[in-house]
Structure formats: structure tokens, C-alpha cells
Amino acid sequence: MMFVPVTSILVDDQDKALAFYTDVLGFVKKTDIPVGGAKWLTVVSPDAPDGVELLLEPDGNPGIQIDGKPAAQVYKKTLYDAGMPFTMLGSTDLQKDYERMTERGVRFTQEPTKTDFGAQAVFDDTCGNLIVLVQQD
């Protein structure tokens, strides 16, 4: 049976991302292993420490380029400029999380909005990504 052990989010600064994803969003650090000039740095939900890990992956790999810039940075900026979220996170209480995050200075580009599947909001993760936060009915 296949499963998802780790999924990545491309970040412009791993230390800044760790602070945002732990101090602001409430994830907890699980793995922090030096790998060359970067780290294998993951966070998990405190309610699911053995669940899916979110890898805070550097976006600056110079080995893969588009027009002389790291491809991941070009991809992220293209999505961001188009207002497209990079990935999706889930919430069991979207309104409560929205209020908590707003109090902590998170910038939302879309406030909680009812959808056919529940509700969603979109926020800036300060690391070059828009993230859609969803609550499913």
C-alpha cells in the first residue's frame, strides 16, 4: 500500500520558514539534519507526530535553472504573481485558525470563503508561497 511520508514546500530561507511554520502556524520540528549547505528540515502537526512530514525545502538549487535563475524560484514566483497557492493545508476550524493567524500578523489574500466542499482561505507564508487553508465539510 502506498502512502505519503513526506511532502515538500519550497522556501526561500529554511530558518525563517521553520520559525513561521512552528511559531505562527503551530507545527513542530521533527527532523533537522545538515545536508551540504542546506538541511533536511521537516515539521509535523503536533496532533500527528508520526503523520505526514512537511519538508521545508530550499528553493535555490543552482543546478536546475530557467533563464539563469534557480527553477524552483521561477516556478514559485510565477504561481505567487498569478495568485495561485503552492499547496494546501487543512484545518478543523478555519475561522478560528484565520483569527489566530491574523492576530499573529499573517497576511491573507483571501478571507475565509464558503466553497462546495467546505471553506477556504489563502495566506502568504512569508517564504515566497501562497497557501490555501481548507476546512472540509
Side-chain angles (χ1 to χ4, degrees):
M1 186 82 158
M2 283 196 241
F3 63 99
V4 179
V6 178
T7 189
S8 298
I9 184 150
L10 298 166
V11 299
D12 56 11
D13 180 304
Q14 286 185 298
D15 293 326
K16 178 177 73 170
L18 180 61
F20 181 81
Y21 279 81
T22 56
D23 299 343
V24 177
L25 298 186
F27 287 90
V28 294
K29 180 170 67 170
K30 180 161 185 178
T31 309
D32 187 348
I33 302 169
V35 180
K39 305 177 222 180
W40 181 266
L41 181 61
T42 67
V43 296
V44 294
S45 167
D47 295 331
D50 295 321
V52 177
E53 295 177 49
L54 182 59
L55 175 62
L56 304 176
E57 187 168 358
D59 66 6
N61 184 337
I64 306 169
Q65 295 193 2
I66 297 174
D67 296 328
K69 297 178 185 168
Q73 291 175 358
V74 174
Y75 172 68
K76 279 177 43 185
K77 183 171 180 357
T78 301
L79 287 178
Y80 190 95
D81 290 349
M84 296 291 299
F86 182 85
T87 196
M88 179 184 297
L89 297 176
S91 171
T92 56
D93 188 334
L94 182 64
Q95 187 61 41
K96 182 178 177 182
D97 283 333
Y98 169 78
E99 291 168 5
R100 177 182 59 81
M101 292 166 65
T102 300
E103 288 173 3
R104 293 181 179 184
V106 175
R107 184 179 72 82
F108 280 81
T109 61
Q110 179 190 63
E111 295 181 358
T113 304
K114 186 78 176 137
T115 65
D116 290 340
F117 59 81
Q120 71 178 30
V122 178
F123 67 91
D124 183 325
D125 77 347
T126 73
C127 302
N129 303 293
L130 295 176
I131 309 293
V132 61
L133 183 60
V134 300
Q135 178 182 336
Q136 295 176 310
D137 286 340

